[in-house]
Amino acid sequence: MKSNGEHLRTGLGVGVGCLWALAAAAQEIAALDTLNLPLESLLRLEVSSVSKFPQTTLDAPALVRVVDRDDMRAFGYRSVGDALRGLPGIDLTYDHTYQFLGVRGFNRPDDYGSRVLFLVDGLRINDGIYDQAQFGGEAVLDTPILKRVEYFAGPSSSLYGGNGLFGVVNLVTRSGADINGWEPRVEFGTREACRASLAYGRQLAGGRDIVFYGSVADDGGGPLRFDEYDATVRRLDGERYAKFFAKLTDGGLRISAGFNRRTKENPAAPYGTRFGVAAEALDEQAFIEAAHEASLGDALSRLVRIYANHYRYKADWPFAGTPNYVNRDRAEAQAGGAEYRLTYRGIANHILVGGLEVRRNWRLSQSNADIDPPATYLDIHHASNLAGVYFQDEWRLSESWLINLGLRYDKVSDFSGEVSPRFAAIYRPDAVTAIKLLLGRAFRAPNQYERFYGDGGSTQKASPGVGPERIRTTELAFERFVGREIRLGASLFHYDMSGALEQQVDPVDGLARYLNGAKIHVVGSELEAEYRREDGFRFKGSFTLQDASDANHRLTNSPRQLVKGQAYFPALAGWDMGLEILGTGRRRTEAGRQTPAFAVANLTLNRPLGQGSEVRLSATNLFDRRYRDPTPGYYTPIDAMPQIGRQVFLQWLGRY
Amino acid sequence: MVGPLLTRTQRFVRLSSIRWGYVALLALAAAGGAEAESGGDIPLRVAVIYNIVQFVQWPEEGGTGREFQFCVVEGDDLAAGFAVLDNQLLGNRRIRIRGTVAGRLAGCDAAYLPAAAFAAARPREPAMLTVSSGHGLVDQGAMVNLVMDGKRVGFDIGLGTLRRAGLSMSAKVLRLARYVKED
């Protein structure tokens, strides 16, 4: 499949013309064989020896961060969230149902990840009801099938339309050639955790490449202390999931499909449900995609993509009453869409991209009802359409200057058209340095949940009148390699958000509903340094300082500082070791209190057993730090959610 | 819009402890110095050059017997990799790799000079293709300049210089170039 971040690079408008099939060409070719390859193929080969860094390119109109398989192994990353958590500027919070991705100080309590675009191999996965990007066990895939996780902060509406306000996460799946055989994996952990996965991949004669993957998990959930209830609960925090993925690549054609069903118990009595009884939520996603990339003559290439996806959500809320009763939320979304993109390189120093995208959400259903005695409070079915047209020019002015212009027009049902421009100027004073000025504007139309959800006067009501929120961003970024072993990065950013969709309580009836809120400003800076030695030792550190505020206050759940460090030691008496330390500054809660600053350490030890198999011993939250994440108002009286303490895992991985 | 933005940003940087981070980072960045573009997969980079050269036309193509003089100035690891091209065919001409120094390029059909040597010598011979590998060398007169783009090899073309030397290049190559400088 596309390698070296090709999807994200395409998304960013760099190196657009590359074909998947050719990009997968073998990397080790004898000198004389190489001579006889056509130039187009040579330019797509990756040079592995030039740098140990899994970099994409200094020319990208963003600071692109990549978590590759080496990192996933070294630091024992299991979920997409684990992989993202270590990146600069990201703070991940957890309410025992979902992981919420905070980007650059912006992590709103009622936001289900709708401001981050979530892609699998370039295909949008955010669902049609909540626009949710899911990162933990709820994510559509987990790490054993991922080649890399790519991330950049910043708006992406100029290429992708809505959702990409704060950043883009792209999961690049492994190819059959990468896996090359069977890969079973079994893991046991404390808190009654048990996980297994099996991957099969092969490149067949004739270049066809196939991948099959399945992964299951059953975490019993250990004890959690809730001071608010003066109680410790056990076995109310369980999680079970099953994920499947399959992919066929044949020349320029790729067909892939994924499925995930996850159930998660929540012990924290959300929405005033009974404490001591788990609320249970089910999330289910499925997608199928066919994409074909072909070259139409020397200068023109074409990408066609068609896809369908499905999302289902069901949650049971155990309420106290006489008798006790269960209230059930359901949501279901089904959508199909197509994209057509042309890339033209016929004008010297320009790479022009034009595309058209249509999507039909043919089923957008939400319901809320009591089970017994039955009573229905909400039962709505909608449909919506989206059409977008985009254009991009990557214009190389000279050997040192690159301009990237992007523009997209979107029309979403019920809302007027939105124009999203992007401008990037990239200056390369020398071969190892890039200085970038990045300007962008992005929008997000309110989702179905924000507009129409209501539970019959219990906690929340519909707000059909809300409009889109918009963001304007300015970023100055610096990247530089010092020698072959050191990479430095710095970024200074400023975001202006208007009409931010936030839950507010209506003083008249005490019900929450979404409204377009006040202006939000974010100003901040990220600094990072990375050192990779030939022998495999590496260290990465980052410091983020940010200030996200509305007119009056710093935002809730917004840490002013984030400090991250990761070190990997390649050989310690037959083991290799990855140590990760993640520090988060104090955060204001909804109730106006502060959660204290904290740091969590994660330790991973790997020991190769020969023939590709290995054992892994790992501990998350090694020092059993008791910390809390600010949490939405619907967990009252819990203002800050207690997090999971130390968890120890033992894993075996085989390769056949 | 720009005014308040700058004010807020300035205030943020000034007030915050992060300015010490900037000091440290800039010190580190300055310590490195711009290392010349080196390393990488030598056979791959030589193959890219070989491929590009096949799409260049020289003013008077020699007969079948005449050898193609590819002169190589020593000085980087890429220069050492050119040996594999010796005896390869270029159309109907056989390539002869000839080690030389920057001042003695007369009679060469093509010449590779490492970045530093190229910048110092800026060679110009009629009907001679100049090839180098480094940052910003097309501006200094290189006709073909190899650059690394992430982990891939790319190249820039000094088309104006190339034409003035009496050479021409096929449009196919120009489309694959990262940057083409007309003049």
Side-chain angles (χ1 to χ4, degrees):
Chain A
M1 280 313 302
K2 284 189 160 188
S3 54
N4 198 20
E6 199 53 52
H7 292 290
L8 195 57
R9 295 179 68 203
T10 303
L12 290 163
V14 176
V16 181
C18 300
L19 302 182
W20 300 317
L22 290 168
Q27 303 204 0
E28 284 173 33
I29 296 168
L32 282 173
D33 292 344
T34 316
L35 284 186
N36 298 316
L37 282 176
L39 189 52
E40 294 93 322
S41 311
L42 292 173
L43 298 177
R44 285 184 197 107
L45 287 178
E46 277 185 32
V47 176
S48 49
S49 55
V50 66
S51 159
K52 295 281 169 207
F53 294 96
Q55 85 216 50
T56 48
T57 165
L58 287 172
D59 286 342
L63 278 183
V64 180
R65 270 81 181 223
V66 173
V67 180
D68 63 6
R69 284 201 67 72
D70 285 347
D71 288 332
M72 294 180 210
R73 176 186 175 278
F75 304 110
Y77 297 146
R78 288 172 189 77
S79 67
V80 178
D82 290 345
L84 292 169
R85 200 191 295 267
L87 296 176
I90 285 186
D91 67 289
L92 210 63
T93 60
Y94 183 47
D95 75 344
H96 293 278
T97 299
Y98 300 113
Q99 287 187 354
F100 300 92
L101 190 78
V103 175
R104 296 189 159 170
F106 199 95
N107 194 351
R108 305 308 295 143
D110 308 303
D111 171 14
Y112 290 94
S114 60
R115 284 140 179 156
V116 175
L117 184 69
F118 192 88
L119 311 170
V120 171
D121 291 325
L123 176 72
R124 180 187 188 273
I125 298 292
N126 300 62
D127 71 81
I129 302 282
Y130 308 94
D131 283 338
Q132 188 169 3
Q134 303 191 322
F135 302 102
E138 67 272 26
V140 67
L141 295 176
D142 53 4
T143 52
I145 192 60
L146 300 182
K147 185 182 173 77
R148 38 206 277 143
V149 176
E150 303 170 337
Y151 162 79
F152 75 88
S156 63
S157 283
S158 69
L159 204 76
Y160 291 107
N163 291 113
L165 259 63
F166 279 96
V168 179
V169 172
N170 182 37
L171 310 186
V172 180
T173 58
R174 298 168 74 190
S175 67
D178 287 336
I179 300 166
N180 195 27
W182 294 91
E183 231 179 69
R185 179 186 302 248
V186 183
E187 183 174 71
F188 296 97
T190 54
R191 293 174 61 89
E192 299 176 40
C194 170
R195 292 164 198 180
S197 66
L198 181 64
Y200 173 77
R202 194 70 89 185
Q203 188 163 35
L204 307 174
R208 224 170 261 168
D209 187 290
I210 52 167
V211 174
F212 296 99
Y213 175 71
S215 171
V216 291
D218 188 340
D219 289 9
L224 271 177
R225 171 77 193 167
F226 291 94
D227 293 338
E228 291 82 352
Y229 295 97
D230 193 21
T232 299
V233 299
R234 283 164 217 283
R235 312 194 66 145
L236 292 181
D237 191 25
E239 177 174 58
R240 289 182 302 283
Y241 66 67
K243 303 180 198 292
F244 300 98
F245 178 72
K247 180 169 71 172
L248 165 74
T249 314
D250 187 2
L253 175 71
R254 182 190 63 196
I255 298 171
S256 59
F259 173 84
N260 171 45
R261 179 183 292 157
R262 196 278 304 242
T263 53
K264 180 73 188 71
E265 296 172 328
N266 189 309
Y271 305 109
T273 51
R274 292 158 61 202
F275 184 79
V277 183
E280 190 173 276
L282 176 146
D283 286 83
E284 180 182 282
Q285 307 105 321
F287 67 87
I288 181 161
E289 182 207 21
H292 185 256
E293 194 161 354
S295 125
L296 312 171
D298 266 0
L300 194 63
S301 65
R302 178 195 65 195
L303 168 77
V304 185
R305 180 203 294 282
I306 56 169
Y307 62 88
N309 58 44
H310 156 88
Y311 173 71
R312 185 163 73 92
Y313 166 75
K314 189 187 83 173
D316 283 348
W317 311 111
F319 282 96
T322 34
N324 292 335
Y325 65 101
V326 171
N327 177 269
R328 177 170 291 173
D329 269 324
R330 279 176 176 278
E332 198 167 331
Q334 270 130 32
E339 185 177 0
Y340 185 92
R341 176 191 299 169
L342 288 174
T343 302
Y344 182 64
R345 309 176 70 115
I347 303 171
N349 303 325
H350 290 266
I351 301 175
L352 301 171
V353 180
L356 192 67
E357 187 184 353
V358 289
R359 184 161 65 237
R360 164 89 180 153
N361 292 299
W362 65 74
R363 177 171 185 163
L364 296 167
S365 303
Q366 296 184 78
S367 71
N368 178 270
D370 291 345
I371 306 281
D372 186 23
T376 299
Y377 305 110
L378 179 76
D379 188 11
I380 51 172
H381 305 274
H382 290 111
S384 74
N385 297 315
L386 173 145
V389 54
Y390 58 89
F391 172 79
Q392 183 174 276
D393 182 10
E394 184 185 319
W395 180 18
R396 197 167 290 274
L397 297 175
S398 74
E399 288 176 286
S400 301
W401 282 95
L402 180 69
I403 299 282
N404 195 300
L405 296 164
L407 193 68
R408 175 162 166 146
Y409 174 81
D410 279 283
K411 175 73 181 79
V412 185
S413 292
D414 301 340
F415 298 99
S416 49
E418 291 280 341
V419 176
S420 309
R422 179 180 66 192
F423 170 86
I426 296 143
Y427 174 58
R428 299 286 306 276
D430 56 51
V432 294
T433 310
I435 298 166
K436 309 172 182 189
L437 174 68
L438 313 162
L439 308 173
R441 207 167 74 192
F443 80 101
R444 179 176 75 89
N447 60 45
Q448 291 285 310
Y449 171 70
E450 289 162 335
R451 292 170 72 194
F452 301 122
Y453 181 80
D455 52 10
S458 170
T459 62
Q460 190 176 331
K461 64 179 179 181
S463 186
V466 287
E469 59 183 15
R470 297 184 182 86
I471 193 166
R472 221 166 39 193
T473 68
T474 309
E475 179 168 358
L476 188 64
F478 169 83
E479 239 180 319
R480 178 167 166 86
F481 289 85
V482 179
R484 281 190 183 202
E485 298 183 326
I486 296 173
R487 185 181 71 87
L488 302 170
S491 159
L492 187 61
F493 51 86
H494 184 279
Y495 289 12
D496 257 325
M497 191 163 180
S498 58
L501 284 155
E502 305 225 23
Q503 246 187 33
Q504 293 171 23
V505 174
D506 187 340
V508 176
D509 52 19
L511 294 178
R513 83 283 200 220
Y514 283 88
L515 290 179
N516 291 105
K519 275 188 186 297
I520 290 172
H521 304 292
V522 183
V523 55
S525 184
E526 291 164 3
L527 297 177
E528 56 185 312
E530 191 174 353
Y531 172 62
R532 291 193 174 221
R533 224 162 52 196
E534 274 307 313
D535 65 5
F537 171 80
R538 57 188 195 268
F539 169 80
K540 187 158 66 169
S542 71
F543 175 57
T544 303
L545 188 72
Q546 56 202 3
D547 197 346
S549 54
D550 57 20
N552 307 312
H553 299 100
R554 171 144 338 136
L555 294 187
T556 57
N557 196 14
S558 174
R560 191 167 151 80
Q561 297 95 359
L562 292 169
V563 184
K564 315 203 174 196
Q566 285 123 344
Y568 173 72
F569 304 87
L572 294 169
W575 295 79
D576 57 78
M577 182 177 91
L579 176 66
E580 177 175 61
I581 295 173
L582 307 172
T584 305
R586 63 174 198 269
R587 292 165 291 177
R588 198 162 67 83
T589 68
E590 292 292 292
R593 286 192 283 267
Q594 299 269 1
T595 58
F598 68 95
V600 167
N602 303 316
L603 179 72
T604 303
L605 294 162
N606 283 296
R607 185 185 179 93
L609 297 175
Q611 295 187 329
S613 70
E614 60 184 17
V615 286
R616 173 186 301 170
L617 182 64
S618 59
T620 52
N621 196 354
L622 179 65
F623 300 109
D624 204 25
R625 181 92 173 89
R626 299 301 157 104
Y627 66 101
R628 288 168 167 244
D629 286 338
T631 201
Y634 52 77
Y635 282 103
T636 306
I638 298 169
D639 187 26
M641 188 65 73
Q643 298 295 311
I644 295 171
R646 178 172 48 235
Q647 208 173 356
V648 179
F649 300 92
L650 183 65
Q651 179 191 272
W652 171 80
L653 166 75
R655 283 200 186 93
Y656 300 98
Chain B
M1 158 182 175
V2 174
L5 189 157
L6 280 180
T7 317
R8 273 201 297 266
T9 310
Q10 272 171 3
R11 195 176 57 215
F12 171 79
V13 174
R14 209 166 43 231
L15 291 180
S16 63
S17 51
I18 204 158
R19 61 194 164 153
W20 299 113
Y22 275 101
V23 171
L25 188 108
L26 287 173
L28 259 176
E35 182 179 284
E37 203 141 334
S38 68
D41 195 319
I42 301 300
L44 172 60
R45 303 207 293 165
V46 171
V48 169
I49 293 171
Y50 177 57
N51 260 273
I52 295 171
V53 173
Q54 290 179 358
F55 290 97
V56 178
Q57 284 91 48
W58 273 260
E60 84 277 344
E61 295 282 353
T64 319
R66 221 198 112 207
E67 288 178 333
F68 182 92
Q69 299 291 320
F70 203 133
C71 302
V72 176
V73 174
E74 297 295 314
D76 64 6
D77 42 7
L78 184 54
F82 275 90
V84 294
L85 292 185
D86 197 50
N87 234 10
Q88 292 289 319
L89 277 175
L90 191 64
N92 53 11
R93 301 169 70 183
R94 208 156 275 286
I95 296 178
R96 196 54 65 205
I97 297 296
R98 199 175 94 196
T100 184
V101 293
R104 300 175 57 185
L105 295 172
C108 302
D109 293 297
Y112 172 80
L113 291 89
F118 189 93
R122 302 204 181 189
R124 248 165 224 257
E125 298 282 339
M128 182 182 79
L129 181 77
T130 53
V131 182
S132 192
S133 177
H135 182 78
L137 294 174
V138 161
D139 275 336
Q140 302 191 40
M143 298 172 197
V144 176
N145 184 33
L146 245 53
V147 291
M148 292 304 300
D149 177 22
K151 291 193 168 191
R152 295 208 172 94
V153 180
F155 61 90
D156 295 344
I157 299 291
L159 191 60
T161 322
L162 185 139
R163 283 179 177 151
R164 278 195 300 280
L167 308 176
S168 62
M169 181 175 265
S170 112
K172 182 181 154 66
V173 179
L174 296 178
R175 268 198 283 278
L176 293 170
R178 197 186 70 130
Y179 171 63
V180 177
K181 183 175 171 144
E182 294 268 357
D183 248 323

